[in-house]
Amino acid sequence: MPQPPRPSAHDARDESGHLIRELHGITLAQILEYLVAAYGWPELDRRIRINCFAVNPSIKSSLTFLRRTPWARAKVEELYIETRTAELR
């Protein structure tokens, strides 16, 4: 009997049933805290080359930069989506 198609990364859902890619109810601070816990500052800097992850990194300074810089915020959100999707599979 054929297996049902496996959901794509874009269909992954969190524990509440929300699509991860929609970032439903997740703040930028929560995303950043999750990524720092998962990877640490050095690995975040390696994956997303922005100075706020390399030079005296902190949640506060990174949030200030990410809120003003849409391209950097998009990269951080994409890494979060990829990481959470992989974790839930």
mmCIF file of all heavy atoms in Angstrom, residues 32-33 35-48 50-63 66:
data_model
loop_
_atom_site.group_PDB
_atom_site.id
_atom_site.type_symbol
_atom_site.label_atom_id
_atom_site.label_comp_id
_atom_site.label_asym_id
_atom_site.label_seq_id
_atom_site.Cartn_x
_atom_site.Cartn_y
_atom_site.Cartn_z
ATOM 1 N N LEU A 32 14.508 34.742 18.974
ATOM 2 C CA LEU A 32 15.933 34.948 19.232
ATOM 3 C C LEU A 32 16.397 34.135 20.440
ATOM 4 O O LEU A 32 17.454 33.488 20.394
ATOM 5 C CB LEU A 32 16.216 36.432 19.422
ATOM 6 C CG LEU A 32 17.667 36.835 19.453
ATOM 7 C CD1 LEU A 32 18.408 36.391 18.193
ATOM 8 C CD2 LEU A 32 17.796 38.347 19.626
ATOM 9 N N GLU A 33 15.630 34.125 21.503
ATOM 10 C CA GLU A 33 15.990 33.340 22.685
ATOM 11 C C GLU A 33 16.067 31.852 22.357
ATOM 12 O O GLU A 33 16.967 31.153 22.829
ATOM 13 C CB GLU A 33 14.993 33.598 23.818
ATOM 14 C CG GLU A 33 15.143 34.980 24.416
ATOM 15 C CD GLU A 33 13.986 35.389 25.308
ATOM 16 O OE1 GLU A 33 13.023 34.600 25.471
ATOM 17 O OE2 GLU A 33 14.044 36.508 25.844
ATOM 18 N N LEU A 35 16.760 30.517 19.389
ATOM 19 C CA LEU A 35 17.935 30.277 18.553
ATOM 20 C C LEU A 35 19.236 30.367 19.352
ATOM 21 O O LEU A 35 20.152 29.577 19.128
ATOM 22 C CB LEU A 35 17.963 31.257 17.367
ATOM 23 C CG LEU A 35 16.861 31.035 16.329
ATOM 24 C CD1 LEU A 35 16.884 32.145 15.287
ATOM 25 C CD2 LEU A 35 16.998 29.668 15.674
ATOM 26 N N VAL A 36 19.315 31.287 20.286
ATOM 27 C CA VAL A 36 20.514 31.385 21.125
ATOM 28 C C VAL A 36 20.649 30.127 21.985
ATOM 29 O O VAL A 36 21.743 29.578 22.130
ATOM 30 C CB VAL A 36 20.480 32.654 22.005
ATOM 31 C CG1 VAL A 36 21.584 32.630 23.060
ATOM 32 C CG2 VAL A 36 20.607 33.900 21.137
ATOM 33 N N ALA A 37 19.545 29.644 22.521
ATOM 34 C CA ALA A 37 19.593 28.410 23.319
ATOM 35 C C ALA A 37 19.970 27.214 22.451
ATOM 36 O O ALA A 37 20.703 26.328 22.895
ATOM 37 C CB ALA A 37 18.244 28.175 23.997
ATOM 38 N N ALA A 38 19.481 27.184 21.219
ATOM 39 C CA ALA A 38 19.735 26.047 20.335
ATOM 40 C C ALA A 38 21.151 26.057 19.763
ATOM 41 O O ALA A 38 21.772 24.999 19.629
ATOM 42 C CB ALA A 38 18.715 26.037 19.191
ATOM 43 N N TYR A 39 21.654 27.233 19.417
ATOM 44 C CA TYR A 39 22.928 27.320 18.700
ATOM 45 C C TYR A 39 24.039 28.054 19.442
ATOM 46 O O TYR A 39 25.209 27.797 19.196
ATOM 47 C CB TYR A 39 22.725 28.036 17.354
ATOM 48 C CG TYR A 39 21.839 27.291 16.404
ATOM 49 C CD1 TYR A 39 20.585 27.783 16.059
ATOM 50 C CD2 TYR A 39 22.248 26.098 15.836
ATOM 51 C CE1 TYR A 39 19.765 27.109 15.172
ATOM 52 C CE2 TYR A 39 21.429 25.404 14.951
ATOM 53 C CZ TYR A 39 20.195 25.919 14.623
ATOM 54 O OH TYR A 39 19.393 25.243 13.764
ATOM 55 N N GLY A 40 23.697 29.017 20.277
ATOM 56 C CA GLY A 40 24.702 29.875 20.891
ATOM 57 C C GLY A 40 25.081 30.999 19.937
ATOM 58 O O GLY A 40 24.845 30.928 18.730
ATOM 59 N N TRP A 41 25.666 32.054 20.479
ATOM 60 C CA TRP A 41 26.017 33.226 19.671
ATOM 61 C C TRP A 41 27.025 32.913 18.569
ATOM 62 O O TRP A 41 26.844 33.368 17.432
ATOM 63 C CB TRP A 41 26.523 34.363 20.555
ATOM 64 C CG TRP A 41 25.480 34.938 21.448
ATOM 65 C CD1 TRP A 41 25.401 34.826 22.799
ATOM 66 C CD2 TRP A 41 24.328 35.710 21.060
ATOM 67 N NE1 TRP A 41 24.284 35.472 23.269
ATOM 68 C CE2 TRP A 41 23.620 36.033 22.233
ATOM 69 C CE3 TRP A 41 23.840 36.159 19.835
ATOM 70 C CZ2 TRP A 41 22.451 36.782 22.217
ATOM 71 C CZ3 TRP A 41 22.675 36.911 19.817
ATOM 72 C CH2 TRP A 41 21.993 37.218 20.995
ATOM 73 N N PRO A 42 28.099 32.166 18.852
ATOM 74 C CA PRO A 42 29.074 31.913 17.779
ATOM 75 C C PRO A 42 28.463 31.187 16.573
ATOM 76 O O PRO A 42 28.758 31.539 15.423
ATOM 77 C CB PRO A 42 30.147 31.054 18.455
ATOM 78 C CG PRO A 42 30.035 31.384 19.911
ATOM 79 C CD PRO A 42 28.570 31.631 20.141
ATOM 80 N N GLU A 43 27.615 30.208 16.816
ATOM 81 C CA GLU A 43 27.007 29.478 15.704
ATOM 82 C C GLU A 43 25.969 30.342 14.984
ATOM 83 O O GLU A 43 25.846 30.265 13.753
ATOM 84 C CB GLU A 43 26.360 28.181 16.201
ATOM 85 C CG GLU A 43 25.729 27.350 15.120
ATOM 86 C CD GLU A 43 26.696 26.846 14.049
ATOM 87 O OE1 GLU A 43 27.919 26.869 14.250
ATOM 88 O OE2 GLU A 43 26.200 26.423 12.981
ATOM 89 N N LEU A 44 25.251 31.183 15.719
ATOM 90 C CA LEU A 44 24.329 32.108 15.054
ATOM 91 C C LEU A 44 25.092 33.047 14.134
ATOM 92 O O LEU A 44 24.674 33.308 13.013
ATOM 93 C CB LEU A 44 23.546 32.932 16.083
ATOM 94 C CG LEU A 44 22.271 32.319 16.616
ATOM 95 C CD1 LEU A 44 21.630 33.244 17.635
ATOM 96 C CD2 LEU A 44 21.303 32.015 15.511
ATOM 97 N N ASP A 45 26.240 33.534 14.609
ATOM 98 C CA ASP A 45 27.070 34.411 13.778
ATOM 99 C C ASP A 45 27.569 33.672 12.537
ATOM 100 O O ASP A 45 27.626 34.242 11.461
ATOM 101 C CB ASP A 45 28.249 34.948 14.591
ATOM 102 C CG ASP A 45 29.182 35.803 13.757
ATOM 103 O OD1 ASP A 45 28.682 36.700 13.039
ATOM 104 O OD2 ASP A 45 30.393 35.577 13.812
ATOM 105 N N ARG A 46 27.904 32.413 12.686
ATOM 106 C CA ARG A 46 28.373 31.639 11.542
ATOM 107 C C ARG A 46 27.254 31.428 10.520
ATOM 108 O O ARG A 46 27.474 31.516 9.323
ATOM 109 C CB ARG A 46 28.918 30.279 11.996
ATOM 110 C CG ARG A 46 29.651 29.524 10.894
ATOM 111 C CD ARG A 46 30.052 28.131 11.318
ATOM 112 N NE ARG A 46 28.937 27.205 11.419
ATOM 113 C CZ ARG A 46 28.239 26.726 10.377
ATOM 114 N NH1 ARG A 46 28.514 27.104 9.166
ATOM 115 N NH2 ARG A 46 27.263 25.869 10.583
ATOM 116 N N ARG A 47 26.052 31.189 11.004
ATOM 117 C CA ARG A 47 24.922 30.914 10.110
ATOM 118 C C ARG A 47 24.343 32.180 9.481
ATOM 119 O O ARG A 47 23.893 32.161 8.344
ATOM 120 C CB ARG A 47 23.815 30.168 10.863
ATOM 121 C CG ARG A 47 24.206 28.748 11.194
ATOM 122 C CD ARG A 47 23.141 28.096 12.066
ATOM 123 N NE ARG A 47 23.503 26.735 12.360
ATOM 124 C CZ ARG A 47 22.936 25.679 11.786
ATOM 125 N NH1 ARG A 47 21.976 25.826 10.906
ATOM 126 N NH2 ARG A 47 23.334 24.469 12.112
ATOM 127 N N ILE A 48 24.295 33.257 10.259
ATOM 128 C CA ILE A 48 23.758 34.539 9.783
ATOM 129 C C ILE A 48 24.789 35.608 10.134
ATOM 130 O O ILE A 48 24.897 36.000 11.285
ATOM 131 C CB ILE A 48 22.404 34.868 10.441
ATOM 132 C CG1 ILE A 48 21.404 33.737 10.256
ATOM 133 C CG2 ILE A 48 21.855 36.180 9.888
ATOM 134 C CD1 ILE A 48 20.127 33.914 11.049
ATOM 135 N N ILE A 50 25.849 38.713 10.868
ATOM 136 C CA ILE A 50 25.522 40.086 11.238
ATOM 137 C C ILE A 50 26.270 40.419 12.516
ATOM 138 O O ILE A 50 26.454 39.572 13.391
ATOM 139 C CB ILE A 50 24.004 40.317 11.383
ATOM 140 C CG1 ILE A 50 23.331 39.305 12.298
ATOM 141 C CG2 ILE A 50 23.320 40.316 10.031
ATOM 142 C CD1 ILE A 50 21.843 39.512 12.486
ATOM 143 N N ASN A 51 26.738 41.648 12.601
ATOM 144 C CA ASN A 51 27.600 42.048 13.708
ATOM 145 C C ASN A 51 26.968 41.900 15.080
ATOM 146 O O ASN A 51 27.678 41.642 16.058
ATOM 147 C CB ASN A 51 28.071 43.492 13.525
ATOM 148 C CG ASN A 51 29.196 43.595 12.535
ATOM 149 O OD1 ASN A 51 29.873 42.612 12.241
ATOM 150 N ND2 ASN A 51 29.388 44.784 12.003
ATOM 151 N N CYS A 52 25.665 42.060 15.187
ATOM 152 C CA CYS A 52 25.050 41.977 16.519
ATOM 153 C C CYS A 52 25.167 40.575 17.107
ATOM 154 O O CYS A 52 24.995 40.398 18.307
ATOM 155 C CB CYS A 52 23.603 42.447 16.490
ATOM 156 S SG CYS A 52 22.476 41.411 15.560
ATOM 157 N N PHE A 53 25.492 39.574 16.281
ATOM 158 C CA PHE A 53 25.724 38.226 16.788
ATOM 159 C C PHE A 53 27.202 37.992 17.071
ATOM 160 O O PHE A 53 27.549 37.008 17.719
ATOM 161 C CB PHE A 53 25.248 37.168 15.790
ATOM 162 C CG PHE A 53 23.759 37.116 15.587
ATOM 163 C CD1 PHE A 53 23.235 36.431 14.512
ATOM 164 C CD2 PHE A 53 22.877 37.729 16.459
ATOM 165 C CE1 PHE A 53 21.867 36.354 14.308
ATOM 166 C CE2 PHE A 53 21.506 37.676 16.262
ATOM 167 C CZ PHE A 53 21.003 36.987 15.188
ATOM 168 N N ALA A 54 28.072 38.855 16.583
ATOM 169 C CA ALA A 54 29.516 38.631 16.696
ATOM 170 C C ALA A 54 30.189 39.541 17.723
ATOM 171 O O ALA A 54 31.108 39.116 18.418
ATOM 172 C CB ALA A 54 30.179 38.835 15.329
ATOM 173 N N VAL A 55 29.764 40.786 17.808
ATOM 174 C CA VAL A 55 30.432 41.776 18.653
ATOM 175 C C VAL A 55 29.558 42.071 19.869
ATOM 176 O O VAL A 55 28.485 42.654 19.740
ATOM 177 C CB VAL A 55 30.701 43.080 17.858
ATOM 178 C CG1 VAL A 55 31.401 44.101 18.732
ATOM 179 C CG2 VAL A 55 31.511 42.781 16.606
ATOM 180 N N ASN A 56 30.005 41.643 21.041
ATOM 181 C CA ASN A 56 29.259 41.832 22.296
ATOM 182 C C ASN A 56 27.780 41.486 22.135
ATOM 183 O O ASN A 56 26.903 42.316 22.372
ATOM 184 C CB ASN A 56 29.404 43.274 22.800
ATOM 185 C CG ASN A 56 30.827 43.618 23.142
ATOM 186 O OD1 ASN A 56 31.559 42.801 23.692
ATOM 187 N ND2 ASN A 56 31.238 44.823 22.807
ATOM 188 N N PRO A 57 27.473 40.255 21.752
ATOM 189 C CA PRO A 57 26.076 39.903 21.489
ATOM 190 C C PRO A 57 25.218 39.902 22.753
ATOM 191 O O PRO A 57 25.671 39.518 23.831
ATOM 192 C CB PRO A 57 26.174 38.495 20.901
ATOM 193 C CG PRO A 57 27.438 37.940 21.450
ATOM 194 C CD PRO A 57 28.368 39.111 21.583
ATOM 195 N N SER A 58 24.014 40.379 22.593
ATOM 196 C CA SER A 58 23.018 40.313 23.666
ATOM 197 C C SER A 58 21.646 40.272 23.012
ATOM 198 O O SER A 58 21.478 40.680 21.857
ATOM 199 C CB SER A 58 23.118 41.515 24.608
ATOM 200 O OG SER A 58 22.642 42.686 23.969
ATOM 201 N N ILE A 59 20.688 39.786 23.745
ATOM 202 C CA ILE A 59 19.323 39.743 23.236
ATOM 203 C C ILE A 59 18.850 41.164 22.942
ATOM 204 O O ILE A 59 18.312 41.441 21.869
ATOM 205 C CB ILE A 59 18.370 39.042 24.237
ATOM 206 C CG1 ILE A 59 18.766 37.573 24.459
ATOM 207 C CG2 ILE A 59 16.920 39.174 23.798
ATOM 208 C CD1 ILE A 59 18.505 36.657 23.284
ATOM 209 N N LYS A 60 19.074 42.081 23.877
ATOM 210 C CA LYS A 60 18.581 43.450 23.732
ATOM 211 C C LYS A 60 19.150 44.133 22.493
ATOM 212 O O LYS A 60 18.402 44.698 21.694
ATOM 213 C CB LYS A 60 18.909 44.259 24.984
ATOM 214 C CG LYS A 60 18.345 45.647 24.944
ATOM 215 C CD LYS A 60 18.640 46.410 26.217
ATOM 216 C CE LYS A 60 18.094 47.823 26.116
ATOM 217 N NZ LYS A 60 18.390 48.618 27.288
ATOM 218 N N SER A 61 20.468 44.086 22.311
ATOM 219 C CA SER A 61 21.065 44.773 21.155
ATOM 220 C C SER A 61 20.665 44.095 19.851
ATOM 221 O O SER A 61 20.429 44.765 18.837
ATOM 222 C CB SER A 61 22.589 44.831 21.283
ATOM 223 O OG SER A 61 23.161 43.535 21.210
ATOM 224 N N SER A 62 20.542 42.788 19.864
ATOM 225 C CA SER A 62 20.141 42.066 18.656
ATOM 226 C C SER A 62 18.699 42.397 18.285
ATOM 227 O O SER A 62 18.386 42.594 17.105
ATOM 228 C CB SER A 62 20.300 40.559 18.858
ATOM 229 O OG SER A 62 21.662 40.236 19.047
ATOM 230 N N LEU A 63 17.817 42.477 19.276
ATOM 231 C CA LEU A 63 16.425 42.830 18.991
ATOM 232 C C LEU A 63 16.326 44.235 18.401
ATOM 233 O O LEU A 63 15.570 44.462 17.445
ATOM 234 C CB LEU A 63 15.576 42.739 20.262
ATOM 235 C CG LEU A 63 15.245 41.337 20.738
ATOM 236 C CD1 LEU A 63 14.543 41.385 22.092
ATOM 237 C CD2 LEU A 63 14.394 40.606 19.725
ATOM 238 N N LEU A 66 17.498 43.888 14.766
ATOM 239 C CA LEU A 66 16.585 43.094 13.943
ATOM 240 C C LEU A 66 15.263 43.816 13.686
ATOM 241 O O LEU A 66 14.676 43.670 12.613
ATOM 242 C CB LEU A 66 16.330 41.728 14.592
ATOM 243 C CG LEU A 66 17.544 40.806 14.650
ATOM 244 C CD1 LEU A 66 17.246 39.595 15.517
ATOM 245 C CD2 LEU A 66 17.983 40.388 13.253
#
